Amino acid sequence: MSAAETITPVIRRTALNSVHRQMGAKMVEFNGWDMPVEYPSAGGIIAEHNAVRTGVGMFDVSHMGDIRLQGPEALAAVQHISMNDASRLAVGQAQYSAMLYPQGTFVDDVIVHRLGDDDYLLVINAGTREKDFNWVRDNTRQFKCKVENLSDDFTQIAIQGPKGVDLLQKLTDANLSAVKFYWVTRGTVCGLRNILIARTGYTAEDGFEIYVPSDEATSAMVWNKVLEAGKEFGAVPCGLGARNTLRLEGKLPLYGHEISDTINVWEAGLDRFCKMEKPEFVGRVALEKAKSAGVKRTLVGLEMVERGIARDGYKVLDDASREIGYVTSGSYAPFLKKNIALAYVPSEFGNVGSTVKVEIRGQGVKAQVVPTPFYKRPKKA
Amino acid sequence: MSYPADFRYTKEHEWIKSDGKTATIGITDYAQGSLGDIVFVDLPKPGAEITAGKTFGSVESVKAVSDLYAPASGTVTDVNGELATAPEKINKDAHGSWMMKVTLKNPGELNGLLSAADYEKFVAEEGGH
């Protein structure tokens, strides 16, 4: 293959790209984005991961997409395209939800923020930005609401970990202690007025995500101020490597792995975010049928019993070495110090304590079904 | 990082140190740096045969699995058991953390490998280190 014959896809960069490079981050391509996977200067993935569990870490998550729905029928539109019940949201509240295809499988998972009476912000995945926006636009045409793709308007910085609140409070006039988990507020951050501050994240830890203007100068200014303010808390920059292991310990799904256009809500075990009492939403009819037909496979947590690390795509075998399922995500878990994985297996293998094997380089390596999430953050005293 | 002058190197980032009959094998500092935190090492057992250029095991960081390629052919005589429980030692001291010792089948094979100076040049081009 010669370079001339190859169509080089456009690799996108966030406004913080040069900041990451200056900090010596190891960069990788992720869903078409040039992103930091780890910062060797911060100690690498394990150190970054554990900083978030015990202190605070910060992430550039500007590759995430943002879709805003505004107008008199914005709520009806959101209700139609998402499986959770957005009518329960107060202004300033957010919820985890998902957008489904008519067959009950996933377009994407999403955080729905209610910013105002008729004003909703959907935060979506990087790899599905265009697909999601087109899907939302096409499926909300019948509603009186404006659909805007704001994905390029924000630099999104996640400040995650038990010390995140103390760190961010140094930089804002908003009273963060009054903002509960999965609520949003607005305030001055680093001298910038009216910044959206959400107490959300993808690390199974307390934390915030702030949305600042996406020009390079502003983005770098905020990033550096957060890092500086975090020094006393041991804050470190974190890459996608730690983001992945953190979300895996917390069993937070990743599109293309635990959820996809071939996996339905019941299989993924996301029942509690799917409100079947809502009379209508895209995918509802199929989900009702799927439930009465019985759920044939289920997402389980595995812990390796024998030596080995299960990786994405590895086969899951039964005791007789028959293939029964596959691993969706697997890694060494830096905080738990165990080798863990998420996998789809037939429902009869889904009970905690069941033993299966994971095929690693041709060998069946023993694993056990364990309770999930693998990690749950300690409740505040 | 300096690469010991008495080692030979592969383009797959293994090092080998030999007295002409037996040899010690590991991975380079460049390799550990690109892998990141090493959390698992899978090595053959003593008695196993390895073949130059073929995989003999694997090393895993948090984020990736990489095959290990034999710099030379031979028979494994000893494996560094410490790496089973403390694979992170490779990150701390890649050139001191040997993986296995072998009896060489054809010591002449080592002549085809890179010198320290050539390897250093090779990784400078490959990774910009």
Side-chain angles (χ1 to χ4, degrees):
Chain A
M1 186 169 67
S2 78
E5 292 165 353
T6 314
I7 298 163
T8 312
V10 179
I11 300 291
R12 306 193 64 186
R13 296 182 170 84
T14 73
L16 290 166
N17 191 277
S18 58
V19 173
H20 301 315
R21 290 177 175 278
Q22 277 159 24
M23 296 181 77
K26 234 183 257 176
M27 307 296 286
V28 293
E29 198 241 298
F30 174 77
N31 284 335
W33 291 79
D34 183 51
M35 296 296 289
V37 66
E38 65 176 335
Y39 299 80
S41 61
I45 294 178
I46 294 178
E48 294 165 24
H49 181 113
N50 289 325
V52 172
R53 286 278 176 262
T54 60
V56 56
M58 56 191 287
F59 303 74
D60 175 15
V61 289
S62 309
H63 58 314
M64 302 288 286
D66 313 276
I67 302 171
R68 189 174 193 171
L69 292 92
Q70 263 179 301
E73 292 183 347
L75 173 61
V78 172
Q79 289 289 64
H80 176 62
I81 57 165
S82 67
M83 68 182 197
N84 208 331
D85 185 359
S87 74
R88 296 185 186 185
L89 293 174
V91 171
Q93 199 175 7
Q95 69 185 183
Y96 179 79
S97 186
M99 304 188 292
L100 305 175
Y101 289 112
Q103 58 267 37
T105 61
F106 293 88
V107 177
D108 198 5
D109 62 349
V110 59
I111 296 180
V112 178
H113 301 79
R114 187 177 179 196
L115 302 180
D117 282 334
D118 299 310
D119 186 356
Y120 293 83
L121 182 72
L122 313 184
V123 177
I124 56 172
N125 280 301
T128 49
R129 263 163 77 150
E130 277 68 34
K131 176 188 90 166
D132 286 8
F133 178 71
N134 292 336
W135 192 87
V136 170
R137 193 195 47 205
D138 293 347
N139 284 277
T140 55
R141 288 190 200 282
Q142 65 271 43
F143 299 98
K144 283 192 200 94
C145 80
K146 186 168 73 169
V147 179
E148 282 174 287
N149 189 350
L150 301 185
S151 300
D152 294 328
D153 292 13
F154 299 116
T155 282
Q156 186 180 342
I157 298 173
I159 300 160
Q160 301 284 302
K163 299 274 189 236
V165 59
D166 299 331
L167 190 169
L168 187 57
Q169 191 63 76
K170 287 173 68 182
L171 301 171
T172 181
D173 61 348
N175 177 13
L176 298 182
S177 62
V179 182
K180 287 180 280 187
F181 198 58
Y182 266 73
W183 284 73
V184 296
T185 190
R186 283 182 182 276
T188 298
V189 176
C190 299
L192 305 165
R193 291 167 65 184
N194 202 28
I195 296 298
L196 186 66
I197 304 168
R199 198 161 196 163
T200 52
Y202 191 51
T203 58
E205 216 53 72
D206 187 19
F208 293 86
E209 293 178 290
I210 57 173
Y211 298 75
V212 302
S214 62
D215 65 281
E216 282 188 32
T218 305
S219 303
M221 181 275 285
V222 174
W223 176 270
N224 290 326
K225 282 199 168 161
V226 173
L227 197 58
E228 182 65 30
K231 271 192 180 152
E232 63 175 293
F233 308 110
V236 296
C238 302
L240 294 182
R243 186 168 159 83
N244 187 52
T245 50
L246 287 158
R247 69 96 196 163
L248 175 59
E249 283 185 345
K251 202 201 183 186
L252 303 173
L254 174 62
Y255 192 83
H257 294 249
E258 288 72 37
I259 58 175
S260 77
D261 57 5
T262 60
I263 295 164
N264 77 33
V265 174
W266 313 134
E267 294 169 326
L270 293 172
D271 312 29
R272 70 186 185 283
F273 304 103
C274 182
K275 299 299 186 285
M276 292 301 278
E277 57 272 30
K278 262 169 60 172
E280 190 276 336
F281 58 90
V282 182
R284 190 186 179 287
V285 174
L287 285 180
E288 201 151 277
K289 276 191 198 145
K291 185 146 241 178
S292 57
V295 182
K296 288 175 190 64
R297 60 175 177 174
T298 184
L299 185 68
V300 293
L302 296 179
E303 191 178 311
M304 299 309 295
V305 177
E306 294 177 330
R307 284 190 80 230
I309 302 174
R311 301 283 183 177
D312 312 9
Y314 284 10
K315 290 172 186 167
V316 178
L317 314 173
D318 67 7
D319 280 343
S321 294
R322 279 181 299 238
E323 184 176 345
I324 54 166
Y326 67 99
V327 172
T328 54
S329 299
S331 176
Y332 172 74
F335 185 74
L336 302 172
K337 298 187 168 59
K338 290 171 181 171
N339 295 325
I340 60 170
L342 293 169
Y344 277 106
V345 296
S347 302
E348 60 268 31
F349 289 88
N351 298 324
V352 169
S354 294
T355 56
V356 295
K357 289 181 200 166
V358 176
E359 188 181 290
I360 303 179
R361 293 180 285 279
Q363 300 282 323
V365 180
K366 219 180 255 177
Q368 191 170 37
V369 176
V370 295
T372 53
F374 305 98
Y375 170 84
K376 213 168 183 177
R377 72 180 144 117
K379 286 240 164 34
K380 272 192 189 153
Chain B
M1 172 52 61
S2 70
Y3 292 92
D6 56 339
F7 288 14
R8 290 285 181 148
Y9 302 87
T10 70
K11 288 188 173 176
E12 289 79 32
H13 310 290
E14 289 83 16
W15 58 258
I16 181 165
K17 184 190 182 184
S18 172
D19 60 9
K21 289 194 190 94
T22 65
T24 309
I25 292 169
I27 62 167
T28 67
D29 187 66
Y30 176 85
Q32 72 74 21
S34 8
L35 286 164
D37 293 318
I38 294 171
V39 293
F40 191 81
V41 184
D42 202 2
L43 296 172
K45 290 185 172 58
E49 300 283 328
I50 62 167
T51 308
K54 298 271 193 282
T55 64
F56 68 82
S58 56
V59 56
E60 301 195 31
S61 66
V62 177
K63 63 181 193 293
V65 185
S66 298
D67 284 331
L68 296 166
Y69 293 89
S73 307
T75 308
V76 178
T77 56
D78 197 7
V79 174
N80 186 354
E82 212 179 21
L83 299 180
T85 49
E88 69 278 6
K89 283 193 188 279
I90 300 169
N91 290 118
K92 295 191 184 96
D93 180 13
H95 300 151
S97 301
W98 60 279
M99 289 180 164
M100 56 186 190
K101 295 187 197 287
V102 298
T103 308
L104 295 173
K105 194 172 173 188
N106 177 9
E109 283 174 344
L110 270 65
N111 296 329
L113 300 176
L114 301 173
S115 68
D118 289 344
Y119 179 71
E120 216 158 331
K121 219 169 112 190
F122 173 69
V123 297
E125 283 162 12
E126 182 169 89
H129 274 221

